Amino acid sequence: MFKNLINGEWVGASRTSRNINPSDTRDLVGEYAQADAEQARQAIAAAARAQPAWGLSTPQQRFDILDAAGAEILARKAELGDLLAREEGKTLPEAVGEVVRAGNIFKFFAGEALRASGDVLASVRPGVGVEVTREPVGVVGLITPWNFPIAIPAWKIAPALAFGNAVVLKPADLVPGSAWAIADILHRAGLPAGVFNLVMGRGSEVGQVLLDDALVDAISFTGSVATGQRIAAACVKRMAKFQLEMGGKNPMVVLDDADLGVAVNAAVNSGFFSTGQRCTASSRVIVTEGIHDRFVAAMAERMKALKVDDARKAGTDIGPVVDDKQLAQDLEYIGIGKSEGARLVAGGEAVERNADGAPGHYLRPALFADTTKDMRINREEIFGPVVSVLRARDYEEALALANDTPFGLAAGIATTSLKHATHFKRHSQAGMVMVNLPTAGVDYHVPFGGRKGSSFGPREQGRYAAEFYTTVKTAYTQA
Ligand code: NAD
């Protein structure tokens, strides 16, 4: 049994969860302890006891531990990538890429611990000096989803620790393996007991304790809109600081002057890779009249060549859907699309066994054409390999369609027009905008986040992470 890490000790539990490989559901990745509410409270209390000393530790101490953790993650990228692909179902190259990203994030925030700075200003009053400094927030609860099992925990844990906070991490129930590996690495890297705690378990039990316990000063959450709304309500009730990263319905605009190959590559990558299970996936492709039919035909052609198979097999383009519930949701939306009158151009069939006959949750990526903006498949996040094409008269209509969504995480445009690219970057109502690139796939050293219903609170990652993981103090001194 893989245990929880509470106050520097590995602690078992009376219940376990079975981590199953979605590429071959006969394959058990491992049994993971399920913390109960009392253990979650113990982890929070341990974090609260450990935080003051950690908050006063030297930047060098924090650098050394985060840098060592990053180095170990990078050195073990093949093994950890294999574990990630096995528990989540993204392809091996994608999984190794995610592990490398997690390692780089730890190294980046190791440096941020050293670079933390403030301001010194003259007061408007004579003889008075003003210092503006950043202090840790305290104990932070981190709640993460299943689709990036190592990168999302990393991009919350690393800044939290770099800025002197203590952490209680509750990873998604479906993919505890990668989070456990990070806990093991941090534990061995020499973190003092209680500074980092891992409590695997159910959101409604363990997650809820994190939301309600007064010792938790801040919550950083990534996951669905419905859970995010609950988290916001619970945090507001007791005035805890919170940050939410939630769903997307990201548009990609393809203009008549686009390079067709660039547009198709970007749309296939952002729509279908990682089995469409990325918050930054583009699920609405908005195509202007002059290129529309050529684009749809090229997409359908390209999709024929995509290999849907075991995530860890060389040559697989698209791994399985993460579990049977998500597969059922994807299929339900494909049915909804058909019943709404959208034309299914390609894919959309569930495949029960992979090329080797192993049972898994496979789905051929689906492309809908002739869709309209009010269809549910164009308004609600499906979170699977399902893309719909919308037809637009011109750039102006395409931009309006792109922004006509309750979400605002990422948006893309394929065009060779500098004028339209520049206008789109300025007028897209998304937190991240890509020109001639997939909407998914971002750097680790710059801010990540969205607007409208996709995000709430400060950005994650890069230097902007300090906004959430620190609190500002303004001190006045009369000389
Ligand atoms: P989810 O909301 O079901 O679960 C996310 C986490 O919240 C899990 O750890 C879960 O156990 C926990 N949780 C559930 N109920 C809780 C409660 N009552 N109290 C506290 N915690 C609770 O999301 P998911 O299915 O794991 O992930 C998919 C979603 O994540 C998609 O909507 C996707 O768009 C979103 N996502 C967003 C981003 C982003 O940065 N915007 C990145 C990745 C995924």
Side-chain angles (χ1 to χ4, degrees):
M1 185 209 302
F2 291 89
K3 297 177 176 174
N4 287 302
L5 183 62
I6 300 173
N7 198 25
E9 305 281 338
W10 292 106
V11 183
S14 53
R15 270 186 293 134
T16 58
S17 73
R18 288 161 59 80
N19 187 355
I20 303 283
N21 175 357
S23 295
D24 179 350
T25 52
R26 301 165 305 187
D27 177 29
L28 177 67
V29 180
E31 299 248 4
Y32 289 78
Q34 291 255 295
D36 57 24
E38 182 47 34
Q39 287 175 321
R41 280 190 280 273
Q42 287 166 5
I44 294 165
R49 285 193 303 274
Q51 193 279 324
W54 180 247
L56 294 172
S57 62
T58 65
Q60 187 67 46
Q61 279 173 299
R62 282 175 270 139
F63 173 92
D64 287 343
I65 289 173
L66 295 174
D67 190 59
E72 180 170 342
I73 291 170
L74 292 173
R76 291 172 56 195
K77 66 181 182 186
E79 171 212 340
L80 293 173
D82 187 73
L83 168 67
L84 201 164
R86 189 172 163 212
E87 71 173 346
E88 198 269 351
K90 65 183 63 174
T91 65
L92 207 46
E94 290 171 328
V96 171
E98 186 183 332
V99 171
V100 168
R101 179 179 180 163
N104 283 331
I105 287 169
F106 272 98
K107 285 186 156 273
F108 176 85
F109 283 106
E112 284 300 278
L114 291 171
R115 285 187 290 266
S117 62
D119 299 317
V120 177
L121 295 88
S123 166
V124 293
R125 287 169 282 169
V128 173
V130 185
E131 290 162 26
V132 182
T133 53
R134 288 187 179 272
E135 296 183 357
V137 177
V139 173
V140 295
L142 308 179
I143 301 178
T144 55
W146 51 260
N147 64 331
F148 282 91
I150 196 163
I152 294 181
W155 82 51
K156 295 183 191 296
I157 296 166
L161 295 178
F163 296 122
N165 302 284
V167 169
V168 181
L169 169 69
K170 196 216 84 66
D173 229 0
L174 272 178
V175 291
S178 301
W180 188 91
I182 294 194
D184 172 50
I185 289 167
L186 284 172
H187 181 54
R188 285 185 291 96
L191 265 186
V195 172
F196 175 84
N197 303 272
L198 172 74
V199 281
M200 301 174 286
R202 292 186 193 147
S204 55
E205 190 172 358
V206 173
Q208 196 65 41
V209 173
L210 282 176
L211 304 185
D212 295 337
D213 194 316
L215 291 176
V216 178
D217 299 290
I219 295 279
S220 179
F221 166 81
T222 301
S224 63
V225 173
T227 313
Q229 285 171 340
R230 264 194 199 175
I231 285 172
C235 288
V236 165
K237 208 164 145 197
R238 62 180 187 85
M239 291 295 180
K241 188 174 184 179
F242 64 98
Q243 169 187 61
L244 312 172
E245 285 297 344
M246 300 169 287
K249 195 72 204 173
N250 308 297
M252 164 158 294
V253 169
V254 178
L255 296 185
D256 287 356
D257 61 26
D259 176 316
L260 187 61
V262 166
V264 169
N265 278 344
V268 165
N269 177 320
S270 10
F272 302 136
F273 288 178
S274 293
T275 322
Q277 298 172 152
R278 292 185 285 193
C279 51
T280 46
S282 50
S283 47
R284 297 183 298 137
V285 185
I286 300 155
V287 188
T288 48
E289 290 283 4
I291 197 171
H292 178 276
D293 293 355
R294 276 184 295 139
F295 175 82
V296 171
M299 282 289 283
E301 192 56 34
R302 181 69 196 282
M303 287 168 69
K304 281 188 204 153
L306 293 175
K307 249 178 134 181
V308 180
D309 203 346
D310 189 310
R312 293 188 294 160
K313 201 160 141 188
T316 296
D317 295 302
I318 298 176
V321 173
V322 74
D323 71 353
D324 53 348
K325 269 198 225 132
Q326 183 63 49
L327 178 62
Q329 176 170 316
D330 297 350
L331 291 169
E332 189 185 338
Y333 272 106
I334 289 166
I336 290 170
K338 287 182 195 162
S339 69
E340 285 178 316
R343 176 167 61 93
L344 185 62
V345 178
E349 312 91 27
V351 181
E352 283 173 12
R353 287 183 184 273
N354 67 24
D356 301 318
H361 311 295
Y362 296 95
L363 177 64
R364 295 240 21 116
L367 182 70
F368 279 111
D370 303 334
T371 74
T372 56
K373 69 183 176 71
D374 296 322
M375 290 179 175
R376 284 182 61 196
I377 54 166
N378 279 328
R379 301 219 68 84
E380 297 168 22
E381 184 183 53
I382 301 173
F383 219 54
V386 184
V387 169
S388 30
V389 177
L390 292 109
R391 197 187 286 264
R393 265 188 321 276
D394 51 19
Y395 168 74
E396 282 69 28
E397 192 189 15
L399 174 67
L401 285 168
N403 286 335
D404 185 358
T405 168
F407 296 106
L409 189 57
I413 187 166
T415 179
T416 51
S417 152
L418 182 60
K419 180 178 133 192
H420 287 138
T422 307
H423 190 273
F424 189 77
K425 280 190 278 184
R426 171 65 188 84
H427 295 278
S428 161
Q429 293 166 2
M432 296 174 289
V433 183
M434 280 71 169
V435 178
N436 294 323
L437 287 166
T439 52
V442 293
D443 287 2
Y444 66 85
H445 67 308
V446 291
F448 178 99
R451 299 184 186 176
K452 303 202 275 188
S454 288
S455 303
F456 187 91
R459 288 284 183 269
E460 302 201 75
Q461 301 188 63
R463 296 183 58 200
Y464 288 72
E467 298 300 325
F468 183 74
Y469 291 102
T470 64
T471 179
V472 169
K473 179 168 283 169
T474 312
Y476 296 85
T477 309
Q478 173 78 66

